[in-house]
Amino acid sequence: MSRSLRRAVINLIILFVAIATLSGCDTESTGDVATQPKLGVLVTQAQKKDVPLSIDMVGSTMGAQDVPIRARVEGFLESMDFKEGTFVKKGDQLYTIDAQPFQAKLVEAQSQLAAAQTNLSKAQSDLARIRPLAEMKAVSEQDLDSAVAQEAAARASVRASEAQVELAEIELSYTRIMAPIDGLIGISAARPGEFVGREPNPVVLNTLSDINPIRVRFSISEREYLILARTYLSEQGTEPKRRRGENQRDLELILADDTVHPHKGLAIATSQSIDPATGTYSVEATFPNPDSVLLPGQFARVRARYQVLENVVVIPRQSVSELQGLFRVYVVDSSGTVDVRSVKLGPQTGNEIVVESGIEAGETVIVEGIQKVRPGVTVSTSPFTPPPVPTANQG
């Protein structure tokens, strides 16, 4: 075999080996793809249902009546006749203040009244003697006028002394501080032995709150006010009735732990105008509180429902992604293949969002794992479990 022929055979063998090697690599690579595990995603089905729309408004609770307990006279606090943080009845004695200065003042006023009454008796006697003498011209008209004036002055002095006695009795009664309403009383601002009733000493000793029902004060924006007002008027017909007490809309109270108060509430008071400084409208609502779970000063959200969208498609809000202002949802068909849909969204309520167009009820949408998928890939699906929604707190 010639040298040139030998070289050609060697080159041909090398070419065959290279082709075989490449073919083996391709086969091995194809086998890896075939055995590669599918991506796992969490999915749920788009549902059709009625969706109530609502507005959540932030506020705080307050008593139906919050009455400050004031020391209306100055003095040393002698006793505290209640247990702090408990319920008291109207008329129960709460505090006593040292009454001795006021008893002395009352005695002084009573003695002045007695003196004034004595002077009045004398003036009346003098007038009774002088009047017939004046008719007989036995005394001058001037003497009669003087007697009449003295009797009138004595009578006025008696009235003034009676007023002083009444004032002293009132001030003495203020040394016994009584509960003006039934309610829950708080921690005292003063203890027995302290001087109260004059700044910088305590004047407001405590606060007594009627907490059943409880009131909630909150503010809404001008836009929210217009939504609720138009909805309310449309429910009332063509005649816009706005008299107090006619709004029977049920309100929900959501507490700081995301539980819902089991009793519905009603709006009972509103401001007369939109606050131009904040652009908000103030509202107060009342909620039954028979178990005394709610206390004044708590954070609260008031939820007002204003419309129900009937038979609309909803999906979890986590299943929607946004790209340059366009909203997309990834769907999975029966074979596990992923497709992407452009959707038009409606209102959001809770953990769900309304889809106006783009997908139909019953289609499977990816909720978790949308960052890992792309159209055309095959995925392994598992059901998505939605988070719990706030429920009524039954205590």
Side-chain angles (χ1 to χ4, degrees):
M1 180 181 296
S2 65
R3 181 178 298 178
S4 59
L5 181 60
R6 185 183 300 113
R7 183 175 299 173
V9 171
I10 292 173
N11 290 338
L12 184 60
I13 293 171
I14 292 173
L15 178 62
F16 285 155
V17 170
I19 292 174
T21 302
L22 291 176
S23 299
C25 291
D26 288 343
T27 303
E28 183 179 357
S29 176
T30 304
D32 289 344
V33 172
T35 59
Q36 185 176 2
K38 298 178 182 179
L39 292 174
V41 294
L42 299 182
V43 299
T44 190
Q45 287 189 328
Q47 299 180 350
K48 254 191 178 181
K49 61 181 183 179
D50 295 344
V51 176
L53 301 182
S54 60
I55 295 175
D56 284 5
M57 300 153 287
V58 176
S60 60
T61 60
M62 53 193 295
Q65 294 185 77
D66 292 320
V67 181
I69 306 302
R70 299 178 182 273
R72 301 180 68 176
V73 292
E74 300 175 4
F76 288 95
L77 197 64
E78 285 193 334
S79 68
M80 189 175 72
D81 306 302
F82 63 92
K83 184 177 180 181
E84 295 164 302
T86 61
F87 286 90
V88 298
K89 294 290 186 179
K90 180 179 180 179
D92 288 353
Q93 182 169 294
L94 304 179
Y95 298 94
T96 59
I97 297 173
D98 180 17
Q100 289 184 353
F102 304 97
Q103 290 171 341
K105 189 174 181 180
L106 175 59
V107 171
E108 180 183 3
Q110 289 171 337
S111 66
Q112 291 176 352
L113 174 59
Q117 290 172 336
T118 300
N119 290 335
L120 175 59
S121 297
K122 181 179 181 301
Q124 289 173 336
S125 299
D126 291 343
L127 180 58
R129 287 194 306 270
I130 292 176
R131 194 182 298 278
L133 294 175
E135 293 175 355
M136 296 185 301
K137 306 300 182 181
V139 295
S140 65
E141 291 291 332
Q142 183 177 1
D143 291 336
L144 177 61
D145 292 342
S146 177
V148 171
Q150 288 177 358
E151 192 272 343
R155 190 182 300 279
S157 179
V158 168
R159 289 197 295 268
S161 297
E162 289 174 341
Q164 289 298 318
V165 170
E166 184 178 357
L167 178 60
E169 289 174 342
I170 291 173
E171 290 182 342
L172 178 60
S173 71
Y174 289 160
T175 62
R176 297 175 67 246
I177 302 176
M178 319 301 286
I181 61 171
D182 295 349
L184 179 66
I185 195 163
I187 298 176
S188 180
R191 302 292 169 182
E194 294 185 53
F195 190 86
V196 298
R198 180 176 60 192
E199 299 290 355
N201 300 308
V203 175
V204 177
L205 305 180
N206 215 316
T207 301
L208 184 59
S209 297
D210 178 7
I211 61 172
N212 185 27
I214 200 83
R215 289 165 74 102
V216 181
R217 178 177 294 173
F218 55 93
S219 296
I220 61 178
S221 67
E222 186 174 351
R223 174 182 173 276
E224 293 168 338
Y225 162 76
L226 291 173
I227 291 173
L228 295 179
R230 287 167 178 161
T231 303
Y232 168 68
L233 291 177
S234 67
E235 292 176 354
Q236 298 301 313
T238 57
E239 182 182 358
K241 300 179 181 178
R242 298 298 299 274
R243 294 192 300 271
R244 181 175 297 181
E246 289 189 350
N247 188 355
Q248 298 300 312
R249 178 178 304 280
D250 287 339
L251 301 175
E252 289 183 339
L253 183 61
I254 304 172
L255 306 179
D257 61 354
D258 287 334
T259 59
V260 180
H261 187 57
H263 302 282
K264 302 290 187 180
L266 296 174
I268 58 171
T270 62
S271 57
Q272 87 288 358
S273 63
I274 303 291
D275 186 342
T278 61
T280 58
Y281 186 67
S282 296
V283 183
E284 285 187 9
T286 181
F287 292 82
N289 187 29
D291 299 327
S292 303
V293 174
L294 304 179
L295 297 175
Q298 286 183 252
F299 167 84
R301 294 201 317 273
V302 177
R303 176 168 294 166
R305 301 187 185 276
Y306 63 91
Q307 186 182 0
V308 176
L309 300 179
E310 297 181 349
N311 203 29
V312 293
V313 177
V314 297
I315 58 175
R317 59 183 179 180
Q318 302 100 304
S319 60
V320 179
S321 62
E322 181 182 2
L323 180 63
Q324 297 180 347
L326 300 177
F327 297 98
R328 303 184 303 173
V329 174
Y330 288 91
V331 299
V332 181
D333 62 17
S334 58
S335 65
T337 304
V338 176
D339 189 16
V340 65
R341 305 278 183 82
S342 295
V343 295
K344 181 180 178 182
L345 300 179
Q348 178 178 311
T349 173
N351 295 319
E352 296 180 328
I353 192 166
V354 175
V355 179
E356 296 181 353
S357 63
I359 60 174
E360 300 294 333
E363 291 193 89
T364 302
V365 299
I366 298 177
V367 182
E368 292 187 8
I370 59 178
Q371 300 85 357
K372 302 181 294 184
V373 299
R374 65 182 185 275
V377 302
T378 303
V379 294
S380 172
T381 61
S382 300
F384 168 74
T385 302
V389 297
T391 57
N393 182 9
Q394 301 296 337

